[in-house]
Amino acid sequence: MISFNTLNLFLVDLLSFLPDKLVFTISGLIMSVAICTFLIGLGSVYTWFERRVIARFQNRSGPNRWGPFGILQPIADAVKLLIKEDIIPATADKMVFIAAPIIFLCTTLLVYAFLPLGIDSQLGNINVALLFVLGITSVNALSVFMAGWASRNKYATLGAIRAVAMLISYEVPMAISLMGIVMVSQSLSLVGIVNAQSNIPFIILQPLGAITFMIAAIAEMSRAPFDMIESESELIGGYITEYAGMKFAVFQLSEFLAPIFTASLFTVLFLGGSNPLKFLEFLPIPGILWFASKSFVITAILLWFRSTWPRLRIDQIMGFAWKVLMPAAILNTLLVGLELVFIRDNYILQIIINMLIFVVFIYLIANILGQKRLKLKEPVPSELANMDA
Amino acid sequence: MYGLGLIKGLGITLKNILFLQRRNTTQYPDRKASIIDLAKLDNKNFISYAFTNPMKTLKSMMGMIVISDKVDQHPRFRGEEFSWYEERCTGCASCAKFCPLGIIKIVTDQTGKNYAEGQNYDIETFDIDIGRCMFCGLCVEACPYDALHMGSGFEEGQYKRNDLVIDVERLKKAEKKPSTWFRPQLEQKDDYSPFDEEIAWDKVGRHQKPSKKDLKNKWIRK
Amino acid sequence: MSLNSELVTINFGPQHPSMHGVFRLRVTLDGETIVDLEPVFGYLHRGTEKLAEERTYVQIVTLTDRLDYVASMSNNLAYVSAVEKLCNIEVPKRASYIRVIVAELQRIASHLMATGFLLNDLGAFGTPLMYCFREREKILDLFEILCGARITLSYMRPGGIFQDTPQEFWDDLELFLESMPNQIDELESLITGNEIVLSRTRDVGILTPEQVIDASLSGPMLRASSVKWDLRKANPYEIYDEIDFDVPIGATGDTFDRYLIRIKEMRESLKIITQCINLIKPGPVRNEDVPLIIRAPEGEAYVGIEGPKGELGFYLVSDGGISPYRCKIRAPSFINLTLLKEMTAGGKIGDLIVNFGSIDIVLGEVDR
């Protein structure tokens, strides 16, 4: 089976007449350029996919004019954005204004450096890849704030303020919810985590952690119902209000890459990455296809959420992070820790306990948050003016 | 319980994506045809169609076959391209008077030709500036002889504003496909559709061309 | 070190995705919290009232189409009722029924628009809006069958309606009445129980009965604040006194109530239409004695009807000429905007957008 590593070895063989360090650099460069190009292509195809799917959710057709099923639409969009005038507001801080989209795109692409897309299919394997991913995603908050602040636009600034508050709050439960995985797999390397799931994917072992991570990740990439940062109906575009042309395209591209990235990360962390599903193991499907199909399902579910639910208010979003996700993440960590001490090898019992606690927790939180608001009062006609009386 | 409403909502959207026939975009002016559409046009099962016409099937899968549908439009549709029947028009200029925007201009013959009772004036100018028209149809309602009708078209885009003025020559030459707006006699004809046929002048009025006697009774004695 | 913070003034509109047209709000913000707001309008002022003074009475019908352009039928109805009162014109019974049917259809269409855009303002990615538009499209198709246009209808005339309905209309109306309750149910299960909608709209923008009466609000805004007042019942016009229907009221007067009232009113409208279909009999639809150019006797008349957005009134003064001496329009959208500040001050930006959406304004009517 062709994996990244075999390709890499082939490249190294090809370049073996050069000094060792140069060979390493050139082959690495070629591989990373290939991955980046592939990802950018994937991102543009994803824009088409998202528009098509959401259109179908809404009984529309979606883009269908260019190419079969409108698949060439992203190219048309890109050309249109490329030839647009590149406007920089007169009062904007030019350097920061230009740097923001570049940083945004770079951080999004950098995540893929250590993501195992299949067996032996990653650009690099470092032992703290998970930390790296968490760290590099936090840089997004910086670039969003740079964009908002440099625009000198009140909407953009408001969006940036929201972004910083929200992204940083959701970082915390997201990181803590991953602690359970790290404790079980005893590794911060993503390859190690995937290998640890060869029997049971972590979504079954730690449902509470999985759902906490999922919600936090949706908020991190600011998708519905947490799309507070660029909430169209409130802040027009949030931090991208003043951007036009190619810079806007870069922002859009990285934003459309975010669901793909979230889905791949979720696949790696909780769905067992490139491991095949247990009951379909006999099928001769390569790992990278397993990875792709699992990510695809996650992106589709994200789209489903996006097309169904309205958006929460800023205070509710922040409250949700600290009042619900935070306890859930801590509870998950505590639970996994206790289980590791007492019933380390009894997976069945662990699954049963975790599932039970998951259901009870969701039920409790739902009741604490929900009951009071759900009751509708019985209307009583006012005595001030009543046409029946 | 909290959360049930959210899940119910997800169910509704899922229902809408699964039942594709609920999609109700009307694509205009044309749309990409799928194999199923082509097979329907040929009255065939789409599988057998795909086997008999592999080239067309491939093309349609590439989105290269375009078919145009008729836009669903009721005969009462108030469209552009007014249908005007010279034979019925007496040049009374009721339409011009009733137009809220004053965009109809009528000039009748000044030479004294056809001035006798029962004859129609020659219409020298009949300009309708549809660039300003709002298609309220009051001119049609005002016409006592059913000479003016709303049209059924709506694709009258022009490059110059002057081209939007429909003059008497154009009205004479135009295909007569009157809308049934305020013309109940056209509606009484079964299956009348303005898209199909050109209607002759003696078919569109409430009555035949008024005779001398009629005119005397109706317009002079009163 | 001390933090120095100051208020920010920000313009919402006239170019803003959720300002329902060219409406402008000058909002003073303290961070995310709204301190003060001031509406600025007039960007769509077309001088309809003045234009009406130089049109004949029938020609003005075409102007009323363009006031509240999502509810042209109701505008037509209010205007022709005023003319009929001014000139003592009798309306044939069948015309009255058809008028009520189309006015209720228009109410459903308008409420669908209001609901859809409220959800759009809430941040639903267009899905409820598209479902609402899907249903509204059926109503517009019905209107096309009736009068050849979909938005600018010009359907009614003083003394009736312009022409009797074709048979297709009744067939399609039957189909519509069959499908619509299910569609409203579907819409409700997508929105009403949704916890995000609930948490966004419950107890937001509360208006007390005292406030709404003092500000002379009307329509769903008034009824949501548990004031039972509906002109269709309080002062029946056309044939509403023969028809049995409920007037839904809200409990708290918050944004959610305003949404729920609209949904309930749609159901009541369906009830009214069904009863009208059963009661309607063949007959003339237009009073033939009314000429195209009406010379109204000297005098004045005011008629208010219960439009989709509230009390829609036309006040006509005649000096005996062929056009009114003065025409004043009581536009419900405009008056319902009065309490926007009271609803919103102290809330968040998100609340502002949602409250604004729940008022359901149409700028063509606000600016006239």
Side-chain angles (χ1 to χ4, degrees):
Chain A
M1 188 55 230
I2 298 172
S3 65
F4 278 21
N5 284 15
T6 48
L7 278 178
N8 208 357
L9 286 175
F10 174 70
L11 274 174
V12 169
D13 278 354
L14 212 65
L15 298 165
S16 53
F17 58 89
L18 291 170
D20 274 2
K21 279 183 182 166
L22 212 57
V23 170
F24 179 74
T25 317
I26 292 178
S27 66
L29 214 66
I30 290 174
M31 291 303 286
S32 44
V33 166
I35 285 251
C36 286
T37 317
F38 172 73
L39 280 176
I40 288 173
L42 192 67
S44 14
V45 173
Y46 177 76
T47 61
W48 166 81
F49 173 72
E50 168 154 349
R51 286 170 67 183
R52 277 297 270 201
V53 170
I54 286 191
R56 285 302 166 87
F57 271 123
Q58 300 175 352
N59 299 152
R60 295 186 286 118
S61 295
N64 63 350
R65 307 303 289 190
W66 296 112
F69 308 106
I71 201 159
L72 298 183
Q73 184 70 34
I75 297 174
D77 289 345
V79 168
K80 181 247 186 189
L81 284 170
L82 264 172
I83 60 177
K84 269 198 110 163
E85 189 189 350
D86 194 18
I87 301 167
I88 298 176
T91 50
D93 188 338
K94 264 186 204 150
M95 284 294 288
V96 184
F97 191 78
I98 295 168
I102 299 171
I103 295 178
F104 201 101
L105 185 62
C106 287
T107 50
T108 314
L109 289 178
L110 260 180
V111 169
Y112 282 87
F114 304 114
L115 211 64
L117 303 175
I119 302 147
D120 279 346
S121 289
Q122 66 269 355
L123 282 180
N125 180 16
I126 55 173
N127 53 358
V128 285
L130 191 60
L131 268 187
F132 174 80
V133 167
L134 284 176
I136 208 79
T137 45
S138 323
V139 181
N140 268 358
L142 175 71
S143 62
V144 167
F145 190 73
M146 279 164 70
W149 191 254
S151 299
R152 273 292 186 105
N153 177 315
K154 284 170 187 167
Y155 288 110
T157 314
L158 270 173
I161 293 168
R162 281 179 174 191
V164 172
M166 198 177 104
L167 293 182
I168 291 178
S169 325
Y170 274 88
E171 205 93 308
V172 181
M174 186 163 144
I176 295 179
S177 69
L178 295 181
M179 284 306 107
I181 297 178
V182 176
M183 285 196 294
V184 172
S185 60
Q186 298 200 322
S187 162
L188 276 171
S189 147
L190 292 176
V191 178
I193 289 173
V194 170
N195 289 340
Q197 298 178 68
S198 53
N199 285 325
I200 308 164
F202 283 145
I203 192 169
I204 298 174
L205 201 60
Q206 300 179 14
L208 198 57
I211 202 156
T212 313
F213 175 78
M214 195 69 219
I215 294 171
I218 294 175
E220 275 289 303
M221 61 178 181
S222 77
R223 286 250 140 180
F226 303 104
D227 52 345
M228 198 79 266
I229 298 173
E230 60 205 75
S231 52
E232 180 193 79
S233 65
E234 289 160 30
L235 296 184
I236 302 176
Y239 62 96
I240 44 176
T241 306
E242 289 288 350
Y243 280 88
M246 208 50 215
K247 297 198 199 69
F248 175 76
V250 168
F251 264 123
Q252 281 303 91
L253 181 68
S254 353
E255 245 162 50
F256 279 110
L257 274 175
I260 301 176
F261 150 61
T262 307
S264 8
L265 197 62
F266 191 79
T267 311
V268 166
L269 294 176
F270 287 99
L271 296 181
S274 50
N275 296 334
L277 293 183
K278 213 71 212 156
F279 54 92
L280 289 174
E281 230 166 4
F282 57 90
L283 291 174
I285 299 174
I288 195 144
L289 266 188
W290 275 113
F291 184 87
S293 45
K294 283 173 186 174
S295 311
F296 179 81
V297 170
I298 298 292
T299 28
I301 290 176
L302 288 179
L303 278 185
W304 189 15
F305 290 165
R306 186 180 185 206
S307 58
T308 308
W309 292 340
R311 173 192 313 130
L312 284 162
R313 208 169 50 214
I314 179 82
D315 51 331
Q316 291 161 346
I317 288 181
M318 303 296 283
F320 192 70
W322 294 108
K323 290 177 198 158
V324 180
L325 288 189
M326 203 49 187
I330 292 174
L331 181 69
N332 183 53
T333 316
L334 186 74
L335 214 63
V336 174
L338 287 176
E339 279 166 0
L340 282 181
V341 172
F342 292 111
I343 42 170
R344 183 166 193 117
D345 297 323
N346 193 345
Y347 284 120
I348 308 291
L349 195 61
Q350 278 186 34
I351 291 171
I352 291 172
I353 291 176
N354 281 346
M355 282 284 179
L356 218 68
I357 296 226
F358 171 67
V359 171
V360 169
F361 183 82
I362 295 279
Y363 183 78
L364 279 181
I365 284 288
N367 279 335
I368 290 166
L369 282 178
Q371 284 298 343
K372 214 166 58 185
R373 288 182 165 273
L374 272 179
K375 255 181 235 154
L376 289 176
K377 261 193 264 171
E378 196 57 37
V380 182
S382 161
E383 285 160 11
L384 293 169
N386 188 348
M387 60 185 181
D388 293 342
Chain B
M1 190 183 127
Y2 202 70
L4 272 184
L6 293 174
I7 293 160
K8 236 185 190 172
L10 287 178
I12 296 291
T13 39
L14 189 68
K15 204 167 89 188
N16 274 291
I17 197 173
L18 290 183
F19 297 112
L20 283 183
Q21 71 271 23
R22 279 180 172 225
R23 194 170 49 149
N24 61 352
T25 314
T26 309
Q27 293 186 47
Y28 170 81
D30 48 30
R31 66 189 168 96
K32 305 262 170 172
S34 68
I35 322 171
I36 300 170
D37 295 325
L38 291 176
K40 253 185 201 164
L41 284 180
D42 240 20
N43 286 326
K44 265 183 195 166
N45 185 349
F46 75 94
I47 298 168
S48 59
Y49 184 88
F51 276 112
T52 45
N53 298 315
M55 229 15 236
K56 269 196 168 176
T57 311
L58 204 65
K59 267 189 172 176
S60 77
M61 279 169 84
M62 297 289 288
M64 285 162 73
I65 295 183
V66 164
I67 55 175
S68 55
D69 292 339
K70 208 187 262 179
V71 178
D72 210 13
Q73 190 179 320
H74 193 266
R76 268 192 196 180
F77 180 76
R78 309 201 294 251
E80 305 175 350
E81 322 160 325
F82 288 82
S83 296
W84 175 63
Y85 291 90
E86 198 191 357
E87 294 86 349
R88 305 196 80 90
C89 183
T90 59
C92 68
S94 292
C95 43
K97 253 180 256 165
F98 276 97
C99 178
L101 302 163
I103 58 168
I104 301 177
K105 183 183 175 192
I106 291 193
V107 177
T108 48
D109 181 60
Q110 304 285 318
T111 56
K113 214 167 52 178
N114 295 344
Y115 272 20
E117 264 182 30
Q119 281 178 318
N120 295 355
Y121 291 125
D122 277 1
I123 314 287
E124 279 180 353
T125 312
F126 196 131
D127 288 351
I128 304 175
D129 182 359
I130 60 168
R132 285 174 62 203
C133 183
M134 60 179 178
F135 306 101
C136 60
L138 280 178
C139 48
V140 177
E141 191 172 334
C143 183
Y145 298 106
D146 291 3
L148 191 65
H149 300 250
M150 300 302 287
S152 48
F154 50 89
E155 292 163 315
E156 284 287 296
Q158 303 285 357
Y159 285 103
K160 286 182 202 147
R161 207 165 55 241
N162 273 356
D163 293 347
L164 284 170
V165 181
I166 304 181
D167 57 12
V168 71
E169 293 305 317
R170 226 171 112 192
L171 280 171
K172 275 179 192 167
K173 267 186 234 151
E175 273 186 283
K176 305 284 195 296
K177 291 180 174 177
S179 150
T180 61
W181 157 265
F182 213 76
R183 294 288 179 255
Q185 71 276 7
L186 286 178
E187 252 167 34
Q188 279 155 15
K189 287 185 173 183
D190 287 342
D191 300 330
Y192 165 71
S193 157
F195 312 109
D196 304 334
E197 44 182 331
E198 188 166 337
I199 295 196
W201 71 275
D202 51 338
K203 297 281 195 304
V204 294
R206 268 167 288 197
H207 41 70
Q208 290 296 306
K209 192 176 180 187
S211 65
K212 261 186 192 181
K213 209 176 142 197
D214 282 344
L215 285 174
K216 250 184 194 168
N217 289 338
K218 203 168 182 187
W219 299 106
I220 300 173
R221 292 261 171 82
K222 256 186 186 173
Chain C
M1 199 187 107
S2 68
L3 275 175
N4 182 21
S5 72
E6 54 186 81
L7 300 180
V8 179
T9 307
I10 188 167
N11 260 321
F12 277 82
Q15 302 285 332
H16 188 281
S18 63
M19 274 300 137
H20 296 218
V22 280
F23 187 73
R24 179 173 157 211
L25 278 172
R26 206 182 290 140
V27 186
T28 311
L29 293 174
D30 179 12
E32 281 270 342
T33 314
I34 286 152
V35 180
D36 190 18
L37 66 87
E38 183 188 349
V40 183
F41 30 64
Y43 292 92
L44 201 61
H45 178 66
R46 292 161 297 182
T48 306
E49 290 173 0
K50 279 291 158 209
L51 282 175
E53 286 168 19
E54 48 189 53
R55 298 273 200 279
T56 65
Y57 285 98
V58 175
Q59 284 173 350
I60 295 171
V61 174
T62 62
L63 289 179
T64 62
D65 287 340
R66 285 145 179 88
L67 285 173
D68 177 356
Y69 40 76
V70 296
S72 308
M73 282 291 186
S74 308
N75 296 331
N76 282 353
L77 177 58
Y79 171 70
V80 295
S81 307
V83 175
E84 278 152 14
K85 192 175 175 193
L86 186 66
C87 312
N88 289 321
I89 297 171
E90 253 187 49
V91 186
K93 202 78 178 172
R94 183 177 170 85
S96 269
Y97 279 114
I98 293 175
R99 278 180 179 187
V100 168
I101 289 173
V102 293
E104 294 303 322
L105 280 175
Q106 187 72 79
R107 188 187 310 280
I108 295 173
S110 172
H111 282 352
L112 279 172
M113 282 274 273
T115 312
F117 277 110
L118 173 64
L119 263 289
N120 220 28
D121 290 347
L122 273 168
F125 196 73
T127 310
L129 178 67
M130 283 300 153
Y131 294 171
C132 289
F133 264 57
R134 186 183 67 204
E135 301 318 313
R136 176 172 174 263
E137 203 68 11
K138 290 177 191 161
I139 297 174
L140 295 190
D141 284 345
L142 283 173
F143 286 163
E144 191 188 329
I145 294 176
L146 274 183
C147 53
R150 297 161 72 84
I151 306 285
T152 50
L153 303 155
S154 308
Y155 184 57
M156 297 179 193
R157 300 279 184 275
I161 56 172
F162 90 95
Q163 191 179 337
D164 206 345
T165 51
Q167 184 55 39
E168 303 98 277
F169 173 73
W170 300 108
D171 302 342
D172 283 13
L173 185 62
E174 207 102 305
L175 284 179
F176 173 75
L177 286 179
E178 258 172 41
S179 71
M180 195 57 194
N182 299 332
Q183 303 294 357
I184 296 178
D185 285 345
E186 184 183 303
L187 202 61
E188 262 211 292
S189 50
L190 180 61
I191 304 168
T192 308
N194 191 319
E195 280 79 2
I196 298 179
V197 174
L198 282 170
S199 59
R200 282 296 299 277
T201 54
R202 292 296 302 278
D203 300 332
V204 166
I206 294 180
L207 291 177
T208 60
E210 289 82 10
Q211 271 179 316
V212 287
I213 290 172
D214 287 350
S216 75
L217 301 197
S218 51
M221 292 277 286
L222 180 74
R223 291 190 284 277
S225 298
S226 64
V227 180
K228 203 163 190 176
W229 185 263
D230 189 323
L231 279 177
R232 287 175 293 174
K233 278 227 156 128
N235 183 16
Y237 50 93
E238 303 294 342
I239 42 94
Y240 276 112
D241 44 353
E242 301 172 16
I243 285 170
D244 170 46
F245 62 98
D246 293 333
V247 178
I249 55 170
T252 46
D254 54 15
T255 303
F256 184 73
D257 274 339
R258 287 190 275 279
Y259 149 76
L260 208 60
I261 290 282
R262 294 207 171 92
I263 295 278
K264 283 180 181 164
E265 275 189 12
M266 277 194 248
R267 293 189 199 278
E268 294 303 320
S269 291
L270 289 177
K271 239 160 87 182
I272 294 173
I273 296 170
T274 320
Q275 288 179 44
C276 280
I277 293 178
N278 292 334
L279 287 171
I280 194 167
K281 286 184 189 69
V285 293
R286 192 168 179 177
N287 191 336
E288 292 296 334
D289 300 337
V290 182
L292 257 182
I293 290 186
I294 302 166
R295 243 170 234 285
E298 238 174 275
E300 56 187 56
Y302 172 83
V303 172
I305 67 155
E306 186 69 36
K309 297 179 174 61
E311 181 180 345
L312 174 66
F314 276 78
Y315 177 61
L316 294 174
V317 183
S318 163
D319 59 351
I322 56 167
S323 47
Y325 177 76
R326 172 87 172 95
C327 168
K328 167 84 181 81
I329 302 160
R330 185 208 189 271
S333 300
F334 175 62
I335 294 164
N336 286 354
L337 271 174
T338 321
L339 288 182
L340 184 59
K341 187 181 165 184
E342 279 76 357
M343 281 159 78
T344 312
K348 301 277 186 287
I349 298 175
D351 293 340
L352 163 70
I353 305 294
V354 172
N355 288 335
F356 187 70
S358 77
I359 299 176
D360 181 23
I361 64 162
V362 166
L363 260 290
E365 199 176 51
V366 174
D367 293 342
R368 296 197 290 289

